[in-house]
Amino acid sequence: MKIYPAFLSFLFITIFISPSVSDHCNAQDKKVLLKIKKALGNPYLLASWDPKTDCCDWYCLECHPNTHRVVSLTLFSDDRLTGQIPPEGGDLPYLETLLFRHLPNLNGTIQPAIAKLKNLKMLRLSWTNLSGPVPNFLSQLKNLTYLDLSFNNLSGSIPSSLSTLPNLEDLHLDRNKLTGTIPESFGMFPRKKLYLFILSHNKLSGTIPASLANMDFNTIDLSRNLLEGDPSVLFGPNKTTFEIDLSRNMFQFDLSKVQFPKSLARLDLNHNKITGSIPAGLTDLELQFMNVSYNRLCGQIPVGGRLQSFDYSTYFHNRCLCGAPLDTCK
């Protein structure tokens, strides 16, 4: 049988050239990813990271559809993955999302090489065993919109430089061992409206910076810290806040003088040293949840709105509150 040269060329292209043509992954990105896999001890989570295959098809990552550069690296939910964040992660220059989550045996400090990721928009290092400080170098990530360092063992103070991040929308520093005060600069974020501002379950102390009056948070959670003084600057009729949780601190202020955002739907002030009475203005709000228990409030609970829809546990353990759902005022 005669074999034509054209057919031989077709076979050669199909067998030897096609695999490399279909491998969209950038060669340098693939080299870096394989170094990351090795640094993490070749975990089962990364079993699909086979150097013979296209890295854009590997589990835990995503490539840009046009450039085929790696833009997302997400490692999560593997208690067999051990070690530290590999410094090679900083050698993926087009990375926009970096996530290490629910990795209880990931330890060490936050890797300084992350500062090289100038295109990074989301950084989520949570539910790990990371320790050390919240690093100043994070302020170099000017495209960052989402920063989550929650549920770790981070300690030390919160760097004021985070307020220079021009695009930040969500900040989660909760469930750590952070100390010191909330930086005054946090009232000077370039974006005056942050969606999530979560600093709960730490050991933060001092008063609420007056500069926070300039900010409009959708959700603010400062619960379970050692904060004190008057946090009234967090409220205000012109804000668009949906939820405020200041519970389990040492705040001391007159609640009757506070003006609330009309958008407020969830308010938790339990376990503080709040005085005064419950303002009638709360009857105008579409409250979904409220807790003012374990304070020093007095007077009759205003009638109207949603205030009587909550049970006694919302109001109990105050100095002299009365009226439904508590006992009738005498």
Side-chain angles (χ1 to χ4, degrees), residues 112-304:
I114 290 174
K116 296 193 289 184
L117 301 174
K118 302 304 182 185
N119 290 300
L120 205 62
K121 296 178 180 178
M122 171 185 279
L123 178 60
R124 191 169 197 178
L125 310 174
S126 61
W127 296 83
T128 75
N129 199 28
L130 289 173
S131 58
V134 176
N136 260 306
F137 62 71
L138 294 178
S139 63
Q140 300 175 32
L141 303 174
K142 299 303 183 184
N143 286 305
L144 210 59
T145 63
Y146 187 99
L147 177 59
D148 181 0
L149 304 178
S150 63
F151 289 87
N152 292 301
N153 288 310
L154 301 176
S155 58
S157 59
I158 300 173
S160 61
S161 59
L162 293 182
S163 65
T164 63
L165 291 169
N167 298 297
L168 194 66
E169 297 176 2
D170 298 327
L171 178 63
H172 298 255
L173 300 178
D174 47 306
R175 305 269 181 171
N176 281 290
K177 300 173 181 177
L178 300 175
T179 56
T181 60
I182 298 173
E184 183 74 30
S185 66
F186 274 22
M188 304 169 199
F189 280 96
R191 291 177 61 94
K192 294 304 179 187
K193 182 172 178 59
L194 266 64
Y195 190 75
L196 296 173
F197 185 70
I198 315 296
L199 307 181
S200 65
H201 293 78
N202 280 291
K203 298 177 181 179
L204 299 174
S205 58
T207 59
I208 301 298
S211 63
L212 289 190
N214 302 323
M215 299 299 299
D216 188 8
F217 303 107
N218 179 276
T219 296
I220 178 167
D221 186 354
L222 305 179
S223 63
R224 293 180 183 265
N225 278 291
L226 304 170
L227 298 165
E228 57 189 7
D230 186 351
S232 298
V233 295
L234 301 175
F235 301 90
N238 297 321
K239 298 195 177 188
T240 59
T241 308
F242 174 82
E243 178 175 2
I244 297 178
D245 189 346
L246 306 179
S247 62
R248 295 182 181 270
N249 279 286
M250 297 183 290
F251 290 122
Q252 190 167 2
F253 63 104
D254 187 341
L255 186 63
S256 62
K257 296 180 179 179
V258 173
Q259 291 184 292
F260 295 93
K262 293 180 174 60
S263 55
L264 191 65
R266 300 181 64 85
L267 176 65
D268 196 346
L269 302 175
N270 80 79
H271 286 84
N272 280 288
K273 301 177 181 180
I274 302 170
T275 58
S277 58
I278 295 176
L282 284 175
T283 62
D284 298 328
L285 305 182
E286 294 293 326
L287 290 169
Q288 300 172 11
F289 174 85
M290 186 174 85
N291 191 343
V292 294
S293 64
Y294 290 91
N295 279 292
R296 300 173 181 179
L297 298 170
C298 268
Q300 183 171 358
I301 299 169
V303 176

Side-chain angles (χ1 to χ4, degrees), residues 72-91:
S72 175
L73 178 60
T74 57
L75 307 183
F76 55 91
S77 301
D78 186 354
D79 56 10
R80 291 169 293 184
L81 188 151
T82 60
Q84 303 185 9
I85 298 175
E88 290 84 0
D91 296 327

Side-chain angles (χ1 to χ4, degrees), residues 6-172:
F7 179 70
L8 289 174
S9 298
F10 173 76
L11 279 178
F12 181 81
I13 291 171
T14 302
I15 296 172
F16 297 105
I17 298 179
S18 291
S20 62
V21 170
S22 64
D23 191 350
H24 298 301
C25 177
N26 177 272
Q28 181 59 30
D29 284 355
K30 176 182 271 191
K31 186 182 297 184
V32 170
L33 290 167
L34 291 172
K35 287 181 180 179
I36 290 173
K37 179 183 179 182
K38 183 179 180 181
L40 292 173
N42 299 305
Y44 179 74
L45 180 66
L46 305 181
S48 68
W49 290 24
D50 183 344
K52 297 177 183 177
T53 60
D54 184 352
C55 79
C56 290
D57 295 329
W58 292 353
Y59 187 56
C60 297
L61 61 85
E62 180 182 337
C63 292
H64 190 278
N66 298 324
T67 65
H68 309 299
R69 300 302 299 260
V70 175
V71 294
S72 175
L73 178 60
T74 57
L75 307 183
F76 55 91
S77 301
D78 186 354
D79 56 10
R80 291 169 293 184
L81 188 151
T82 60
Q84 303 185 9
I85 298 175
E88 290 84 0
D91 296 327
L92 295 170
Y94 292 89
L95 209 60
E96 296 179 5
T97 297
L98 179 60
L99 182 150
F100 285 76
R101 191 164 188 261
H102 282 289
L103 302 171
N105 294 312
L106 185 73
N107 53 48
T109 59
I110 297 176
Q111 175 56 242
I114 290 174
K116 296 193 289 184
L117 301 174
K118 302 304 182 185
N119 290 300
L120 205 62
K121 296 178 180 178
M122 171 185 279
L123 178 60
R124 191 169 197 178
L125 310 174
S126 61
W127 296 83
T128 75
N129 199 28
L130 289 173
S131 58
V134 176
N136 260 306
F137 62 71
L138 294 178
S139 63
Q140 300 175 32
L141 303 174
K142 299 303 183 184
N143 286 305
L144 210 59
T145 63
Y146 187 99
L147 177 59
D148 181 0
L149 304 178
S150 63
F151 289 87
N152 292 301
N153 288 310
L154 301 176
S155 58
S157 59
I158 300 173
S160 61
S161 59
L162 293 182
S163 65
T164 63
L165 291 169
N167 298 297
L168 194 66
E169 297 176 2
D170 298 327
L171 178 63
H172 298 255

